[in-house]
Structures are given as C-alpha cells and as structure tokens.
Amino acid sequence: MSAPDDQSAYWNSTGTTKTFGHPLHRAWTAGLDRGAALLDYGCGYGRLAGELTALGFTDVEGVDPAPELVARARAEQPAARFTVLADPPRIERPDGGYDAAFLFAVLTCVPDDAAQRALVAELHRVLRPGGLLQVSDYLLQPDERNQERYRRFEAPHGRFGVFTTSDGAVCRHHTRAWLDGLFTAFEPVDERELAVLTMNGRPAVATQLLLARR
C-alpha cells in the first residue's frame, strides 16, 4: 500500500507507522482454491496477506517498493512471502503467474496517470486469463472537507482530487470514469461501497471492485 520512488522516503519512515483498514470481502475469495497463487500488490506491512493466509491460502506473496514496510511484513506475517520491488511496478513473475491479485488502497498512493496505467498493465500481465483482481480504493469524496482540499491542491498538483496529507503523503481520489477507463482490460464482476477509516483515521467511503482478466 505504498507509493513509487518519489514518495519512498515517506513510506520508509512515517508510512511504517500507519494502519491500513480496507477490509477483505471474504465472499469474493470463497471460490478460490486454497492453493491458488495470490498476489498482494502494495502489501505494506502485510495485513491483507496475513488475513489471506489465516483463511487457509498457502501461496500468498506480497510485494511493495518500501523495504521498511516489507521488513515489518516479514516479521509480522511469516506464513506469507514478501518481496521488495526493485523496479516498480515490474514484478519478477512470468506472464499469467498468479490466479488472483489484490490492490488495496494503492492507487490512492500513485497520483500520476501514467504510473497508474503501468501498474494496471503489469497486474494484467501477471494474472492468468480469467484471473481475479480485487481493487479497494477511493472515488472523490463528497464531504466538504475533502472537496475543499481538492480545490486547494488542484493548482500545485495539476489535477483535481490529488492532495497532500498533513504528514506529507501525496494521495489521489478518483472519478469513476477514470477507474472505468483504467480497467478496460478487465471484465467487471461485482462491486460495493463501504465506510472505512483512512490511514490517518479519517472516515471515508471506499469503492471495491471485483474484476476478471480478459
């Protein structure tokens, strides 16, 4: 759940203290074989990978560009494998090497259009045809606080919805049209919205998508 190199200092320091709360929708994993190869991209400190292993999945790999977060993940979730991405979003895995992937609160930490497209293309590459991708992230939030900060940071960041948190993370909330365009190589299967807390403890609404690789 961390960002690429331009935010590496944040995610290897302040970011290691955060709590990531987007929940796994277990109904979407119910049909997966417990031996399926699962990828948690942007795994952070391994919370989601740990939940998957606790559900009985035996082949779970988390990847993240932040070495300090990966070190914490290895210490806290020894049943999963964790890899530091040397050249994100590139994953050292053959084409079609995973049965399912999870992208939880990662796009919000990748504000650049091209970087998001490259990440989604890499996930498409490493998923087998028909493999499932679960996405959990933020659309633009309707509350007054968020709308005000979108406007405040639109000029320096060049895009409505990109902002800097009070402790220095550059984040992005998305239009639905952007997300729909980002995942055109995937077939929509299901979706839902739910209340979550952000990594700084603020209430927000997350959108979760279940997609299948075309």
Side-chain angles (χ1 to χ4, degrees):
M1 298 179 184
S2 67
D5 290 345
D6 59 348
Q7 284 281 286
S8 60
Y10 176 90
W11 291 107
N12 282 298
S13 54
T14 304
T16 63
T17 69
K18 301 299 179 180
T19 298
F20 306 134
H22 289 225
L24 178 68
H25 189 36
R26 296 188 179 189
W28 288 354
T29 65
L32 291 173
D33 185 274
R34 283 335 191 229
L38 306 184
L39 170 69
D40 179 11
Y41 188 98
C43 64
Y45 58 84
R47 176 191 63 88
L48 183 61
E51 187 170 349
L52 290 166
T53 59
L55 288 174
F57 291 102
T58 58
D59 186 2
V60 180
E61 181 174 14
V63 299
D64 200 287
E68 293 302 320
L69 278 169
V70 170
R72 180 181 168 190
R74 288 170 175 161
E76 294 185 7
Q77 305 295 343
R81 303 188 315 279
F82 296 98
T83 301
V84 177
L85 294 176
D87 184 25
R90 176 70 184 176
I91 303 164
E92 294 302 323
R93 188 83 167 197
D95 295 358
Y98 293 103
D99 298 300
F102 300 82
L103 189 69
F104 274 41
V106 175
L107 293 176
T108 188
C109 304
V110 184
D112 180 72
D113 287 2
Q116 287 197 1
R117 291 191 188 101
L119 168 52
V120 172
E122 181 66 356
L123 292 176
H124 187 270
R125 182 188 71 80
V126 297
L127 276 171
R128 63 168 175 78
L132 295 176
L133 173 63
Q134 293 190 33
V135 179
S136 188
D137 224 290
Y138 301 102
L139 296 181
L140 293 173
Q141 302 290 298
D143 61 284
E144 184 176 344
R145 174 181 172 272
N146 273 291
Q147 289 292 317
E148 191 279 330
R149 68 176 178 174
Y150 298 155
R151 289 189 294 270
R152 186 190 334 150
F153 287 107
E154 182 176 11
H157 291 308
R159 179 175 302 283
F160 189 76
V162 178
F163 58 94
T164 303
T165 65
S166 59
D167 55 3
V170 179
C171 295
R172 178 177 181 176
H173 294 169
H174 309 84
T175 66
R176 183 54 191 262
W178 171 258
L179 288 187
D180 288 345
L182 195 61
F183 293 107
T184 54
F186 293 81
E187 183 73 27
V189 177
D190 201 358
E191 65 179 276
R192 67 179 194 146
E193 288 190 348
L194 67 160
V196 297
L197 294 178
T198 69
M199 65 181 182
N200 287 332
R202 298 278 188 173
V205 175
T207 295
Q208 296 193 326
L209 307 175
L210 178 64
L211 309 166
R213 182 196 184 280
R214 298 185 195 272

